[in-house]
Amino acid sequence: MASSAHPAKSGVRVIVVGAGFAGLTAAIECHRKGHDVLILESFPELKILGDIISFAPNSGRIFQRWPGVDAKLDPIIHKSDGLLMKTYLGETLTKQTWDAERLAYGKAYNGHRGEIHEIVYHHALDIGINIRLGYKVDDYFETEGEAGVVANGERFVGDVVLAADGVRSKGRTIVLGYEDKPKSSGYAIYRTWFDSARLAEDPDTAWMVTNGDRHCAWLGPDIHFIAASIKNGKDFSWVCTHKDEADVEESWQAHAPLADALKVLEGWDPVVLKILKATPDPLIDWKLVYREPLPTWISPKRRIALIGDAAHPFLPTSIQGASQAMEDGATLGVCLTRGGKTHVQEAVAAFEALRYERVLAAQKTGEKTRDTWHKADWNEAKKDPESIKLKRGSWLLNFDAEEYAEENYSRTVALLNDPVAVRALHRPNAIE
């Protein structure tokens, strides 16, 4: 499935702001199509940061198109056979297994964000993408004929700019025409990643980290706690989504003492409390930012596009944020090829039309899962454990963004003058 052919140069100059998964995927996919790519990243050096991140089969197939990447990712990803679901008191509800999904839709890649990012980042460098670290973008600009950014006092000009610099992207201002501020979603997540040795020593927790990887979710009133072991049980990660009304302007991602999580999870399954007591202090406390769906992701002159979290932040319960960011990149590579240098604006508009309704539907899955888990009637859940399983529809997972864009580009362009019709054209019809 990997593709290493070198296409003819298209002449399309692409500036990507941000070297996260959205930016790197867009850059790699545009490079695959022969476009000239420059990435500007504000961080001065690559650091292996973060904890667990999930890439579903719909994005896994994108990794598999990049020569050598699957082979590098495979040893570091999570490999359990399913997700065990329990009540917050420790009663087992059900287990959702992945074998049928894997056979039907393909491979998922779940692992440490920093480790996966490092592999993708070095793949981009290896194929010749120009990445400039330590370049903070202060402004975006566009005319009918070009677009660009100002970073570190230097002006960079291209045919199109892709703003992949997250929920606080300055690109949002030029797209929306005003500065919008993130709001608290009312929730935050305690997050951590650590060596599992202490857990292996305790008989009550050893099952999570011995004889392969394990994945378990404990569900409670307005809280859920998900733990996973990785690398044949060697590493361990857990996340806890809990109520939080903190001002995200003041503190979006900060450290929190372990004692805060112990307080939130007081009275929970003793296994959960033992996991916490084996956890290094402090935790990351990550505020879940809420954004109303934007009316558009593209600028007035259609030469700047928001992608990934800059356009559409996801709740973690969707398990699709990173995957949809990668789909953005794959779609853009196709659109800019089909439009070519003379029709970049058409290509940018087609990208938004191809993606908008699918992303909106995917975002809603996260809201539904959170509400199902946090507001569950446990007596009813015990009678019907299927009701609390993750909804993993084929419309979402059995999807090839590159193929879809190729097949639907022409009829999308034909409808661009009818915004309602062109978005309706790509609204998923069979949402399970």
Side-chain angles (χ1 to χ4, degrees):
M1 192 172 179
S3 171
S4 57
H6 297 286
K9 294 295 183 182
S10 69
V12 177
R13 299 167 299 159
V14 182
I15 297 172
V16 180
V17 180
F21 288 104
L24 286 173
T25 304
I28 293 167
E29 289 296 302
C30 285
H31 183 274
R32 285 182 64 227
K33 303 295 186 186
H35 312 318
D36 181 48
V37 182
L38 168 67
I39 299 179
L40 301 174
E41 167 56 52
S42 62
F43 276 96
E45 60 180 325
L46 175 69
K47 292 183 179 180
I48 299 178
L49 301 172
D51 45 70
I52 197 79
I53 191 169
S54 299
F55 296 89
N58 51 307
S59 56
R61 66 190 65 204
I62 299 173
F63 283 140
Q64 290 164 19
R65 288 195 172 106
W66 303 342
V69 169
D70 171 71
K72 292 176 181 176
L73 290 175
D74 189 73
I76 66 168
I77 60 174
H78 175 79
K79 293 177 180 175
S80 71
D81 61 352
L83 176 63
L84 182 64
M85 297 184 181
K86 294 175 172 282
T87 71
Y88 67 103
L89 297 176
E91 300 168 281
T92 297
L93 293 167
T94 188
K95 183 173 183 178
Q96 184 167 1
T97 57
W98 309 130
D99 289 347
E101 180 180 298
R102 191 178 296 115
L103 286 171
Y105 309 143
K107 185 175 180 178
Y109 296 79
N110 306 319
H112 190 287
R113 182 200 180 279
E115 293 174 356
I116 294 175
H117 182 266
E118 182 182 37
I119 289 169
V120 175
Y121 176 85
H122 282 291
H123 176 69
L125 289 177
D126 290 345
I127 62 175
I129 293 174
N130 184 4
I131 304 177
R132 301 196 189 183
L133 301 179
Y135 277 78
K136 181 175 173 54
V137 170
D138 298 310
D139 196 18
Y140 289 75
F141 60 87
E142 67 175 344
T143 66
E144 288 296 335
E146 62 185 20
V149 297
V150 177
N152 296 7
E154 189 175 348
R155 185 179 171 94
F156 297 87
V157 179
D159 297 299
V160 60
V161 175
L162 308 179
D165 46 346
V167 292
R168 297 174 185 272
S169 173
K170 289 182 179 291
R172 292 173 68 96
T173 302
I174 194 167
V175 165
L176 296 174
Y178 59 88
E179 183 178 355
D180 72 325
K181 295 184 181 296
K183 302 173 185 176
S184 171
S185 67
Y187 292 88
I189 302 181
Y190 297 127
R191 315 180 66 108
T192 188
W193 181 289
F194 56 96
D195 185 278
S196 68
R198 285 187 64 189
L199 295 169
E201 294 169 359
D202 187 328
D204 290 334
T205 56
W207 63 274
M208 284 288 298
V209 298
T210 53
N211 300 315
D213 294 344
R214 298 286 185 272
H215 200 189
C216 187
W218 285 262
L219 313 178
D222 239 353
I223 302 171
H224 67 267
F225 181 94
I226 304 179
S229 53
I230 305 96
K231 301 176 192 169
N232 200 32
K234 177 183 174 295
D235 289 356
F236 195 80
S237 176
W238 62 259
V239 295
C240 174
T241 298
H242 60 98
K243 292 291 289 181
D244 185 284
E245 298 293 347
D247 184 350
V248 294
E249 277 298 298
E250 296 300 322
S251 177
W252 177 38
Q253 179 171 305
H255 287 100
L258 183 60
D260 286 2
L262 284 164
K263 184 176 180 180
V264 165
L265 295 166
E266 186 177 357
W268 278 48
D269 182 355
V271 173
V272 170
L273 300 182
K274 285 194 170 189
I275 291 171
L276 264 61
K277 288 174 182 175
T279 299
D281 201 351
L283 309 170
I284 294 294
D285 190 18
W286 181 42
K287 312 300 181 185
L288 290 178
V289 174
Y290 177 75
R291 298 276 197 181
E292 294 284 354
L294 299 182
T296 182
W297 305 338
I298 63 177
S299 59
K301 293 181 171 60
R302 301 188 299 178
R303 286 190 176 271
I304 298 171
L306 305 174
I307 64 173
D309 282 351
H312 44 73
F314 273 70
L315 291 174
T317 40
S318 71
I319 324 177
Q320 273 289 312
S323 293
Q324 293 300 317
M326 290 187 71
E327 284 192 12
D328 285 350
T331 303
L332 273 160
V334 171
C335 290
L336 290 170
T337 298
R338 295 291 296 271
K341 191 173 178 69
T342 56
H343 297 289
V344 167
Q345 291 159 297
E346 170 192 284
V348 170
F351 154 73
E352 181 191 54
L354 284 159
R355 297 287 299 140
Y356 192 90
E357 290 293 334
R358 174 170 168 78
V359 167
L360 194 63
Q363 285 176 308
K364 288 177 181 177
T365 66
E367 297 171 15
K368 289 176 182 175
T369 296
R370 183 194 62 193
D371 291 345
T372 297
W373 284 0
H374 285 207
K375 298 172 183 176
D377 179 321
W378 300 116
N379 290 325
E380 291 301 316
K382 290 171 192 175
K383 294 176 189 174
D384 180 20
E386 292 291 317
S387 67
I388 62 165
K389 287 185 176 180
L390 294 164
K391 304 301 183 282
R392 309 278 285 174
S394 61
W395 71 271
L396 186 59
L397 303 182
N398 195 25
F399 185 84
D400 187 316
E402 180 179 10
E403 184 179 281
Y404 187 85
E406 287 282 9
E407 291 175 355
N408 291 280
Y409 185 84
S410 294
R411 63 179 185 149
T412 300
V413 167
L415 285 174
L416 285 177
N417 290 328
D418 188 340
V420 174
V422 78
R423 285 191 178 176
L425 178 65
H426 302 294
R427 186 174 297 128
N429 293 320
I431 299 176
E432 295 93 335

